[in-house]
Amino acid sequence: MMIKAVYWDIGGVLVRTGNRQPRQELAARFGLSYQELEELVFGSDLGRKAQRGEIPEPERWAHLVDELGIPLEEVPAVRQAFFGGDFLDEDLVAYIRRLHERYQTGVISNAMGGVRRFIEVECGLADAFDHMTFSAEVGVMKPDARIFHHALAGLGVQPAEAAFVDDFLHNVEAACTVGMHAVHFRTPAQAMADLDLVLTG
């Protein structure tokens, strides 16, 4: 089948950590490694609950009071420092906008509840995607096949008519198992080149 839609992950692909220093300094402040801090925020039970929409995003961050032993009033500053080195890849955005002239475009992202506003309002990308599937809104996370089927239904395409770009190999493999074409993101140039090959057959 001809590919009709291209789906993108957000964190680690469209939005990446360009400067690790703010997160490294934050981790060191609490006696954690960089990886341990990321695991605490995203991979812990509370982090995964927030990404499945079982608790609201503010509640997840409020639990840092107990997890890190900080006063409640410090939570916003800690959250800001955690994401302080992240950036939106404008070149990749431009590439997606060019694709959008010929293909439907979508998002499949494991993310807490506030990410839709971040993408649509703060990043100004509401017009870049035809449909966005966020785990917190549908109650299921990649690599669960159900999130891919939800996204496919959102654009009305079959798995073989869709391509997907993600930085985690297990998510890429899950998309392939569903029947989608998939590209493992390692660098922007590599991902765009690999996707171009997929799209041109």
Side-chain angles (χ1 to χ4, degrees):
M1 292 185 183
M2 181 181 297
I3 292 178
K4 298 179 180 179
V6 181
Y7 294 89
W8 297 82
D9 179 35
I10 296 295
V13 177
L14 198 56
V15 177
R16 304 192 304 280
T17 302
N19 179 7
R20 292 167 60 96
Q21 185 173 349
R23 199 171 295 180
Q24 286 175 330
E25 292 178 349
L26 188 65
R29 173 185 166 187
F30 297 112
L32 301 171
S33 69
Y34 186 96
Q35 292 75 19
E36 287 171 336
L37 181 60
E38 286 195 332
E39 179 66 18
L40 173 68
V41 172
F42 296 121
S44 65
D45 181 56
L46 285 169
R48 296 180 71 82
K49 281 184 175 180
Q51 290 176 84
R52 291 193 299 265
E54 296 169 10
I55 61 173
E57 181 179 6
E59 181 178 333
R60 192 281 157 272
W61 291 103
H63 277 284
L64 293 180
V65 169
D66 297 321
E67 293 166 321
L68 298 177
I70 59 174
L72 184 60
E73 58 269 21
E74 286 191 23
V75 170
V78 168
R79 183 185 184 280
Q80 183 175 1
F82 184 84
F83 291 114
D86 289 5
F87 74 101
L88 175 68
D89 189 328
E90 298 288 358
D91 290 338
L92 202 51
V93 169
Y95 173 77
I96 292 170
R97 289 191 182 281
R98 291 194 297 272
L99 285 181
H100 198 202
E101 297 173 1
R102 293 174 290 141
Y103 302 93
Q104 294 185 83
T105 54
V107 164
I108 308 174
S109 177
N110 288 346
M112 300 182 200
V115 75
R116 180 177 290 275
R117 183 186 184 281
F118 171 74
I119 293 299
E120 291 184 344
V121 179
E122 296 181 39
C123 296
L125 298 181
D127 63 332
F129 298 105
D130 299 295
H131 186 267
M132 292 188 281
T133 297
F134 297 113
S135 60
E137 297 178 355
V138 300
V140 63
M141 296 173 63
K142 296 175 295 185
D144 192 307
R146 290 174 294 174
I147 195 169
F148 296 104
H149 288 299
H150 185 281
L152 292 165
L155 290 182
V157 295
Q158 297 299 311
E161 297 174 324
F164 174 57
V165 182
D166 196 288
D167 59 315
F168 283 114
L169 184 58
H170 60 268
N171 293 334
V172 170
E173 292 170 344
C176 290
T177 299
V178 167
M180 302 170 71
H181 305 268
V183 169
H184 183 203
F185 180 97
R186 293 182 293 277
T187 70
Q190 162 267 322
M192 287 186 283
D194 287 356
L195 181 60
D196 285 342
L197 289 175
V198 169
L199 294 177
T200 56

